[in-house]
């Protein structure tokens, strides 16, 4: 059965995002060219421009894909069991462990803000994580004002701790960052109640 143009286009976009993700993780954004990405995906550089205006837009698609993959992983691994604070701790620990992988840490937390700009990067990050965090805080017993700010505080701490891990992915560093996050969740959960 022959594929439609839309199916071929979708497959090409997928291949380009995957190739770009690998190269951005290995070489960083600045060290990766569109020609390298095209070659890794088995297409011409001109075909890349058919799908994205420039390398920054392709990088944005890669960041979206990393967020989507993390979202799926965190939902399946931290699950709906345990208290909301236990789920916050579990998902935060998983995220921090993943930051040791350059496909997460380098792309999302090192190159992401620099390439996309702080505001665009933050909006994208919050689009994926703010509401689920507020929902867990609300489920923990929090109500009224302040939940948004508490969620921002938790997300900000995950970003800062994740950046530390991206720069120093030793297991001892990961464990210390995970413990720091668990301590923050306990404090925020107490504040939310």
């Amino acid at each position: 059965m022959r594929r439609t143009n839309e199916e071929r286009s979708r497959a090409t976009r997928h291949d380009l995002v995957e190739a770009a993700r690998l190269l951005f993780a290995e070489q960083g954004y600045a060290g990766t060219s569109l020609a390298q990405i095209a070659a890794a995906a088995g297409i011409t550089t001109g075909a890349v421009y058919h799908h994205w205006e420039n390398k920054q837009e392709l990088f944005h698609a890669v960041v979206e894909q990393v967020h989507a993959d993390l979202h799926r992983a965190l939902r399946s691994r931290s699950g709906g069991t345990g208290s909301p604070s236990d789920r916050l701790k579990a998902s935060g620990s998983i995220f921090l462990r993943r930051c040791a992988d350059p496909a997460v840490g380098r792309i999302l937390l090192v190159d992401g803000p620099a390439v996309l700009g702080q505001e665009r990067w933050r909006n994208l990050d919050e689009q994926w994580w703010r509401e689920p965090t507020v929902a867990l805080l609300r489920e923990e017993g929090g109500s009224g004002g302040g939940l948004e700010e508490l969620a921002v505080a938790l997300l900000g701490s995950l970003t800062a701790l994740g950046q530390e891990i991206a720069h120093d992915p030793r297991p001892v560093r990961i464990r210390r960052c995970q413990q720091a996050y668990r301590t923050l969740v306990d404090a925020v959960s107490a504040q939310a109640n």
Side-chain angles (χ1 to χ4, degrees), residues 83-107:
S83 71
S85 64
D86 288 342
R87 293 191 314 244
L88 281 169
K89 290 177 199 176
S91 62
S93 289
I94 292 166
F95 170 76
L96 291 171
R97 203 171 326 114
R98 291 271 181 112
C99 288
D101 176 358
V104 175
R106 184 177 206 169
I107 291 171

Side-chain angles (χ1 to χ4, degrees), residues 8-74:
R8 281 192 301 278
S9 180
R10 201 172 24 248
T12 299
R13 285 179 67 86
H14 174 269
D15 292 347
L16 282 166
V17 168
E18 289 302 311
R21 184 174 179 168
L22 288 171
L23 289 168
F24 290 145
E26 289 173 9
Q27 302 171 178
Y29 178 83
T32 303
S33 70
L34 282 178
Q36 290 171 311
I37 295 167
I43 65 167
T44 66
T45 304
V48 176
Y49 288 108
H50 176 73
H51 297 281
W52 288 281
E53 186 176 318
N54 54 41
K55 186 170 78 167
Q56 185 183 39
E57 293 306 314
L58 174 55
F59 183 80
H60 183 268
V62 170
V63 169
E64 282 274 10
Q65 188 60 52
V66 172
H67 277 298
D69 291 348
L70 271 172
H71 191 261
R72 276 190 297 278
L74 294 178

